[in-house]
Amino acid sequence: MRRDIEFRTEDGVTLRGWHYKAKGVDGPAPTVVMAHGFTATREIYLDSFAEVFSAAGLGVIVYDHRNFGVSDGSPRGHADPWAQINGYRDAITWAQTQSDVDPNRIGVWGSSYAGGHVLVVAALDRRVKCVVSQVPLTWGFETARRLIRGDHWAGLRAAFDGDRAARARGEAGAMMPVTAPEGQPCALPTADTYEFFIRFAEEHETNWKNEVTLHSIEMFTEYEPATYIARIAPTPLMVVVASGDHLTPFDMTARAYEQALEPKKLVVLPGGHFEAYTGEPFKISSAAQRDWFKQNL
């Protein structure tokens, strides 16, 4: 059973989502706080994970980041990683006020861009008692240099500078597609990104929009969540990687995992970045994550 929820961030933005009740639990339950990756919204398979966790006796709070989906915030389509990190912490604060949440047994879950966020949240916020980071962004600059052709880099840097100047003049920031057919400019230039988002939008009702601020991409290149990973301990950490991932590359995530201290666990899935959300990789991953949360919350 789930209900619609909303809560306010410390700076006054209303975030909205769902609260799944822990099945079979009367009274305060261990609870997992979840949000999605770069521009993605809650209905893009997060309900599948939440249902697995809820059925196992875990409460789940799923919400959209500010500026996306059903949450408020402007400019729309702006993905500020630090504002999203603070959103997680505001969600934890709200959760601790709820009568059916055990305030001392809070876990966090994030995937892709938010997989990086939960590394930072768990390192900084000791209210977090367990963390699962799925196919996470680890080093933003290195990831960007792998995704963006070398001969395009100087032009992108110039676009960042021009966009900054335009915003300083009071103009609206530039926008670009999140994904596009091969060869067309976009934020995430991989074929599997295009297939995943466009197919989902064609087959489901969704609040996802194929647009993101250029400033978001600049912030992506400056964001280095893996630098926090050694500070997570002694909070239990699970990292889920996909062996064929080239959006958040396997070798980079594995390198970050090596820097984490115990207790920790690595789960390696077959396939690429987006297979983690569906099919057999989802069954493997969601079961391992469920058990990790149950063990540690």
Side-chain angles (χ1 to χ4, degrees):
M1 183 179 72
R2 77 184 188 197
R3 62 185 176 93
D4 292 337
I5 61 168
E6 62 178 49
F7 57 93
R8 290 174 69 81
T9 65
E10 194 168 301
D11 62 343
V13 175
T14 298
L15 306 184
R16 298 183 178 87
W18 299 312
H19 185 187
Y20 287 76
K21 183 174 176 57
K23 186 174 181 179
V25 177
D26 292 323
T31 298
V32 179
V33 175
M34 302 177 61
H36 221 318
F38 192 77
T39 79
T41 48
R42 60 180 179 164
E43 69 278 0
I44 305 179
Y45 300 115
L46 292 199
D47 51 345
S48 300
F49 288 92
E51 288 165 4
V52 169
F53 300 159
S54 175
L58 298 161
V60 187
I61 292 167
V62 184
Y63 69 95
D64 282 334
H65 295 295
R66 67 167 64 206
N67 310 332
F68 293 95
V70 294
S71 290
D72 290 348
S74 62
R76 301 302 291 176
H78 182 55
D80 178 337
W82 290 100
Q84 293 182 357
I85 286 166
N86 287 332
Y88 267 99
R89 301 182 77 176
D90 292 326
I92 293 168
T93 300
W94 179 84
Q96 290 182 317
T97 70
Q98 303 303 298
S99 61
D100 49 0
V101 172
D102 185 333
N104 298 311
R105 291 190 290 169
I106 301 287
V108 292
W109 181 101
S111 190
S112 196
Y113 207 41
H117 298 348
V118 294
L119 299 178
V120 181
V121 173
L124 298 178
D125 197 326
R126 290 301 162 190
R127 296 176 299 173
V128 174
K129 304 306 180 186
C130 184
V131 56
V132 170
S133 174
Q134 176 176 278
V135 292
L137 175 75
T138 48
W139 283 279
F141 181 77
E142 184 178 348
T143 301
R145 291 310 308 258
R146 293 199 192 186
L147 290 173
I148 298 166
R149 278 177 41 180
D151 58 335
H152 290 176
W153 187 256
L156 181 63
R157 292 296 322 172
F160 291 161
D161 295 342
D163 184 56
R164 186 173 292 274
R167 298 196 315 271
R169 294 192 297 268
E171 300 172 15
M175 305 292 292
M176 73 182 310
V178 177
T179 186
E182 186 173 358
Q184 296 184 22
C186 64
L188 302 177
T190 69
D192 57 346
T193 302
Y194 183 75
E195 180 181 3
F196 176 80
F197 279 112
I198 299 305
R199 177 178 293 180
F200 188 91
E202 290 173 347
E203 296 178 354
H204 305 83
E205 291 187 11
T206 178
N207 289 297
W208 177 76
K209 305 293 183 185
N210 189 17
E211 59 182 12
V212 66
T213 66
L214 184 60
H215 190 198
S216 299
I217 302 167
E218 181 179 21
M219 298 182 85
F220 182 110
T221 69
E222 299 168 352
Y223 182 41
E224 311 291 348
T227 60
Y228 287 84
I229 199 166
R231 295 171 55 182
I232 293 172
T235 303
L237 166 66
M238 171 178 280
V239 176
V240 179
V241 294
S243 59
D245 197 334
H246 51 260
L247 184 61
T248 57
F250 171 88
D251 64 294
M252 292 171 61
T253 307
R255 177 162 31 106
Y257 178 79
E258 288 301 310
Q259 297 180 14
L261 306 179
E262 298 288 350
K264 63 180 181 178
K265 184 173 183 177
L266 183 69
V267 176
V268 181
L269 303 177
H273 186 85
F274 295 102
E275 276 79 6
Y277 299 100
T278 60
E280 191 63 25
F282 164 77
K283 293 178 183 177
I284 296 168
S285 182
S286 61
Q289 295 171 23
R290 173 201 65 206
D291 293 347
W292 186 250
F293 283 127
K294 288 284 287 183
Q295 174 186 336
N296 293 292
L297 292 181

